[in-house]
Amino acid sequence: MSYDFDLVVIGSGPAGQKAAVQGAKAGKKVAIVERDKVLGGACVHRGTIPSKTLRENALRVKNMRANAALANFQLAEDTEMVTLINRLDQVLLAHDQYMRKQIDRNNITRIHGRAKFIDSHTLEIARVRDADYCIKAQNIIIATGSFPRKPDNIAVDHEYIFDSDSVLSMLYLPRSLTVLGGGVIASEYASIFQALGVKVTMIDKYPRPLGFLDQDLTDKFVHAFESMGGTWLGEHNVVSAEFDGLAGVITRCDNGLEIKSEKLLCAAGRIANVKDLAIENAGLSLSDRGLIPVDNNLRTSVANIFAAGDVIGPPSLASTSMEQGRRATCNAIGIIMGRIASTIPSGIYAIPELSAVGLTEQQARDKHGEVIVGKANFEEIARGQISDIQDGMLKLICAPDGKELLGVSIVGEGATELIHIGQMALLSQSPVDIFVESIFNFPTLAEAYRVAALSVIGQREQRGKG
Ligand SMILES: Cc1cc2nc3c(=O)[nH]c(=O)nc-3n(C[C@H](O)[C@H](O)[C@H](O)COP(=O)(O)OP(=O)(O)OC[C@H]3O[C@@H](n4cnc5c(N)ncnc54)[C@H](O)[C@@H]3O)c2cc1C
């Protein structure tokens, strides 16, 4: 069979983009198909970058309020959302241009259209203005991402009731917002809007948000959120949420509680996007969880088709999607790769930030028994005091020998950057003592590693004596 391309990648998000560039760098004839006019996927246009741009301004607003003695600052009542994401257009334009240049520089063919499988090597490309046509590829990588899950009982209308793809299309900052969900996106947006002065109520069926993190961390998050004026309602089952016909939304729980708010954000998870792909024509089917199943090499059940990014499920992060995309291509074209790192950090850009790598304290206890945990509160670190960082903490989780590092968990501003120090120690299998032997800049938050390590070593010595 003759092919138009060695490799065709469907989707230009973090997974697709890195997959295509890797293929081109290896000398292959590559095409990338994107249905949107712009490149970059949910990450650039609806998810990671827009939410982090809003967060940047929310932090500024929060800090201005905190320094009320220096500046008598009040956010206008009718603040337009566009003013809060004023830098977004510049950021997106810069990103789009950078990606376009990178794709073109690597001689990757850009195809604007919607891809659909005809068979395992053939894709039909539907275009807006021009006629549809088919392309044949030796290998295909599906990197079509995800979209927000819509529960049946929530009437998402994108005017009063939003999902995470539409929330930033709100025209004005609302006075009150109900956030359904306790996951990453819910926690990020709930705390960002609360920092902007919106009265936020966060509701979830679980007792605490971000249940995959150490409770120490989530307790601090909830404390910080409530200190800003937010309300966390755990163990509440929402039975319906609808526009009240006047100017707001009524959310009803099965215990009879009713919450009225101006707007609502439904952040009830995301599901794989295989709409319009007709994967059955290629001999593929979805798993019970609605994802594209892949093996350790990111290969689907059809030998020449690979999948990467959100479409294969958790951890559903831009950072991992990029690496999966790169690896999917390497595996498809026969470049031998080792196993993907198991130490993937999670970064939650709530206010305050949270981040973890390796095992949580509970996971470490379940696996290793009496582990040793060293903690450092940011309030006790000079930099934390100078920057008035409250609700900050770094935890080192070590094996019962008090030497081997098993995990690091951090809450507090800077957590998503600080985590990489711990990640490097884990990857290089350095003993916890490395944090005491290293000289850290002073005053920095990184010094918390040293303080927590000293605590571990102290406990280790006590154990040795016992
Ligand atoms: C609000 C929010 C905040 C987030 N924050 C973070 C964060 O801080 N850090 C982080 O690491 N991750 C974050 N994420 C997750 C991150 O955005 C995703 O993990 C990442 O975008 C997944 O990349 P992807 O390439 O798999 O898919 P996407 O980025 O979703 O890209 C898929 C692309 O495929 C295209 N496509 C789909 N179907 C077709 C078709 N049939 N034909 C052609 N093109 C098609 C789509 O148009 C899209 O451009 C966030 C997500 C959201 C929603």
Side-chain angles (χ1 to χ4, degrees), residues 260-389:
K260 288 189 182 150
S261 59
E262 207 174 305
K263 308 274 174 183
L264 180 139
L265 165 65
C266 175
R270 295 181 66 93
I271 47 178
N273 179 17
V274 289
K275 273 189 297 192
D276 313 314
L277 266 184
I279 54 168
E280 62 286 354
N281 292 346
L284 291 171
S285 52
L286 293 179
S287 68
D288 298 345
R289 296 171 57 217
L291 305 169
I292 296 202
V294 288
D295 65 14
N296 285 338
N297 296 319
L298 300 151
R299 192 189 294 269
T300 66
S301 55
V302 176
N304 70 305
I305 304 179
F306 293 71
D310 280 17
V311 80
I312 65 167
S316 302
L317 290 168
S319 50
T320 17
S321 300
M322 290 180 204
E323 182 58 5
Q324 288 168 349
R326 193 175 77 84
R327 280 171 178 266
T329 293
C330 288
N331 295 332
I333 63 180
I335 298 176
I336 309 292
M337 307 279 284
R339 278 182 74 89
I340 196 161
S342 56
T343 44
I344 299 171
S346 54
I348 297 128
Y349 294 84
I351 297 179
E353 286 177 16
L354 302 109
S355 198
V357 68
L359 301 184
T360 62
E361 182 175 343
Q362 193 52 52
Q363 287 167 336
R365 283 196 194 290
D366 294 345
K367 200 165 165 198
H368 298 271
E370 272 314 296
V371 295
I372 300 183
V373 176
K375 295 183 191 175
N377 286 313
F378 286 2
E379 300 96 288
E380 293 159 19
I381 310 285
R383 178 85 246 178
Q385 289 152 3
I386 294 165
S387 308
D388 194 21
I389 298 179

Side-chain angles (χ1 to χ4, degrees), residues 9-18 32-52 111-117 124-126 142-148 163-165 167-168 184-186 188-189 270 273-278 308-313 315-322 324-325 345 347-349 416:
V9 180
I10 314 173
S12 72
Q17 196 213 348
K18 294 288 181 257
I32 189 163
V33 190
E34 174 54 59
R35 63 177 183 185
D36 282 354
K37 234 172 33 202
V38 283
L39 301 175
C43 168
V44 177
H45 302 284
R46 294 176 294 280
T48 318
I49 293 183
S51 59
K52 262 84 267 182
I111 300 177
H112 181 202
R114 191 182 295 265
K116 172 185 167 187
F117 281 100
E124 182 184 83
I125 311 294
I142 305 174
T144 48
S146 61
F147 62 90
D163 62 28
S164 57
D165 277 357
V167 65
L168 297 183
V184 173
I185 293 174
E188 288 188 358
Y189 273 129
R270 295 181 66 93
N273 179 17
V274 289
K275 273 189 297 192
D276 313 314
L277 266 184
D310 280 17
V311 80
I312 65 167
S316 302
L317 290 168
S319 50
T320 17
S321 300
M322 290 180 204
Q324 288 168 349
I348 297 128
Y349 294 84
T416 56

Side-chain angles (χ1 to χ4, degrees), residues 178 180 201 203-204 233 235-241 250-259:
T178 302
L180 303 188
T201 306
I203 312 179
D204 196 39
L233 294 177
E235 296 180 286
H236 276 70
N237 274 314
V238 171
V239 285
S240 68
I250 300 184
T251 305
R252 293 190 179 88
C253 298
D254 63 358
N255 60 2
L257 182 72
E258 271 190 16
I259 299 139

